[in-house]
Amino acid sequence: MAQVYLSLGSNINRAQHIRAALDALAGQFGELQVSRVFESEAVGFLGDNFYNLVVGLQTNLPVGQLALCLRGIEDANGRLRSGPKFSARTLDIDILTYDHLTGIVDGVKLPRGEIVKNAFVLQPLAEIAPEVPHPVEKKTYRQLWDEYDQASQKLWPVEFIWP
């Protein structure tokens, strides 16, 4: 089984879509590691604030099949793909890491670059996997978060209940 970390985000009916995604992921993969949910301003465009979190899970699906499964969950939650890359969305699920794989695997770039660029990815990842090393940077996620310019992006935890 591969250890996988995913980032989830939504800025349209946020709580509804995040809960639906967590339900679908738990139904497909079983036990999940779930970070707190954080609210952040939209990055790359003007829009409503996002809810973001990171989920850890184990799977025997290869990267390409996992990506298709996640795309199906996004689609089931009304994800539209015809707009610009940086735009409002019902649900976004990205594979951050898949074990310690690096490079392009089944069309997916691993690890995802947003890990070290966006607080809304790095902080929740450091929360659930503090001692796990980044496959390229070779520093733990806690170290990367401690070194991150935490004033550069506004981010705050929100009360969010999921079973």
Side-chain angles (χ1 to χ4, degrees):
M1 298 284 274
Q3 177 64 49
V4 175
Y5 291 100
L6 309 172
S7 66
L8 281 68
S10 173
N11 76 334
I12 299 173
N13 296 328
R14 303 173 301 186
Q16 169 192 330
H17 290 114
I18 295 296
R19 281 192 188 92
L22 290 170
D23 289 343
L25 291 169
Q28 178 77 30
F29 301 103
E31 186 176 338
L32 306 175
Q33 290 176 276
V34 181
S35 74
R36 291 180 293 170
V37 174
F38 292 86
E39 186 170 357
S40 65
E41 296 174 338
V43 173
F45 70 100
L46 292 175
D48 294 335
N49 288 353
F50 275 80
Y51 275 3
N52 294 283
L53 68 153
V54 168
V55 171
L57 57 85
Q58 293 192 337
T59 183
N60 56 9
L61 291 178
V63 174
Q65 287 182 14
L66 175 61
L68 287 173
C69 175
L70 301 177
R71 187 178 177 107
I73 294 170
E74 291 174 337
D75 291 346
N77 281 277
R79 171 72 185 265
L80 301 177
R81 300 181 193 282
S82 57
K85 178 179 179 182
F86 295 106
S87 61
R89 56 199 60 197
T90 56
L91 185 62
D92 187 29
I93 307 175
D94 294 318
I95 301 171
L96 299 174
T97 63
Y98 185 103
D99 276 341
H100 298 288
L101 294 180
T102 61
I104 306 245
V105 180
D106 296 339
V108 177
K109 183 165 181 1
L110 296 171
R112 192 159 180 93
E114 282 84 355
I115 294 171
V116 294
K117 293 180 183 169
N118 291 317
F120 59 81
V121 176
L122 185 55
Q123 184 174 7
L125 183 56
E127 182 177 282
I128 66 170
E131 301 308 318
V132 174
H134 185 283
V136 173
E137 301 293 327
K138 305 298 185 202
K139 294 180 180 180
T140 67
Y141 294 119
R142 180 193 326 254
Q143 288 173 304
L144 290 170
W145 178 242
D146 288 345
E147 295 171 1
Y148 187 85
D149 178 5
Q150 297 178 17
S152 66
Q153 292 178 358
K154 293 181 183 177
L155 184 72
W156 54 97
V158 294
E159 187 171 323
F160 187 88
I161 297 171
W162 179 74

